[in-house]
Amino acid sequence: DQLADIVDPLQVFPGERANYGSNSMAVAGAIIEQQAGEGFEAYLKRRLLDPLDMNNTSFNPTAAEVSRMGPVYINLFGRWSPFVTPPNPDATNLNPALAAGLYGTIDDYARFLLMFRNQGRYFGNQILSEDSIETIRTNQIGDITFVGLVGAGTSTRYGLGCWLDQVQENGVASFVSSTGFAGTYPWYDEVNDLAGIFFIQVSLTGGTDT
């Protein structure tokens, strides 16, 4: 509802340009809620987190989980400032920020990457279909102009929530990644059969990523 008030008129007609931003995730989450008939976090927990044993991942971490969070700082224009502020513990966040509000552990994320590497399977259970994994790794924006983190007028390839760093002849990426603004870097490399995640502090000097 909040987004609907600021998108009229549209900046561009759908299909003319791809814009990177958190609002896209919010719209996708709203569509999921309408189709599933439940809140996004409840759906995510039932459909993904519980089957993957991601027991330390939530939009509403407990007090014990908040106490384990490490600080994330960025150097913005010569001054170090905290970038990620831990949420109030045991709070009930009914409107989570889908693009930047999920808290978890590196072990939990590794379970997700293991499922992704295994074509949607996790210890014998098919969590996502093989077709879904392939769709995630397929260019969703074609050759249209991409605007956002890479700058206006730059051509790039983007799947469903991830960058397509290396694409095969069949159009499916063999290497995908999903860089976070503060330095989190998960990736999957099909050729070398590797998946992993880096937790990195990002230094912003003079407003540019160094």
Side-chain angles (χ1 to χ4, degrees):
D1 292 340
Q2 294 170 351
L3 290 175
D5 291 336
I6 62 175
V7 297
D8 187 17
L10 293 172
Q11 293 180 343
V12 294
F13 189 78
E16 291 182 351
R17 191 174 74 191
N19 285 58
Y20 183 89
S22 302
N23 291 344
S24 302
M25 302 292 184
V27 172
I31 294 172
I32 289 173
E33 289 185 333
Q34 291 291 326
Q35 293 298 310
E38 60 184 326
F40 182 80
E41 183 169 23
Y43 177 83
L44 184 68
K45 179 175 173 59
R46 176 176 62 82
R47 188 66 180 81
L48 199 65
L49 300 183
D50 284 350
L52 290 176
D53 299 319
M54 295 176 67
N55 301 318
N56 294 294
T57 300
S58 170
F59 289 105
N60 291 285
T62 65
E65 290 168 337
V66 170
S67 69
R68 291 160 48 196
M69 290 183 184
V72 178
Y73 293 93
I74 59 173
N75 192 327
L76 188 59
F77 302 107
R79 179 179 179 182
W80 286 98
S81 303
F83 177 69
V84 176
T85 302
N88 293 326
D90 301 309
T92 302
N93 180 11
L94 300 179
N95 189 24
L98 304 193
L102 191 65
Y103 296 86
T105 64
I106 197 167
D107 288 342
D108 274 12
Y109 209 133
R111 293 183 177 94
F112 175 84
L113 291 171
L114 177 63
M115 178 273 297
F116 195 88
R117 168 188 174 271
N118 290 334
Q119 296 299 304
R121 292 183 296 276
Y122 180 73
F123 287 102
N125 297 319
Q126 194 75 41
I127 308 301
L128 295 179
S129 69
E130 292 188 21
D131 286 343
S132 293
I133 298 295
E134 183 173 300
T135 300
I136 291 171
R137 295 164 51 195
T138 302
N139 187 14
Q140 300 295 319
I141 66 173
D143 296 324
I144 62 177
T145 300
F146 191 98
V147 179
L149 297 180
V150 294
T154 302
S155 296
T156 191
R157 294 165 296 192
Y158 196 73
L160 290 180
C162 60
W163 305 99
L164 311 183
D165 300 299
Q166 297 176 8
V167 180
Q168 305 168 103
E169 292 184 359
N170 63 359
V172 179
S174 59
F175 193 106
V176 299
S177 62
S178 184
T179 309
F181 180 78
T184 303
Y185 184 80
W187 84 92
Y188 167 65
D189 179 356
E190 181 180 44
V191 173
N192 294 295
D193 194 25
L194 289 172
I197 179 171
F198 292 125
F199 281 178
I200 309 166
Q201 292 280 5
V202 172
S203 175
L204 295 179
T205 302
T208 60
D209 185 356
T210 58

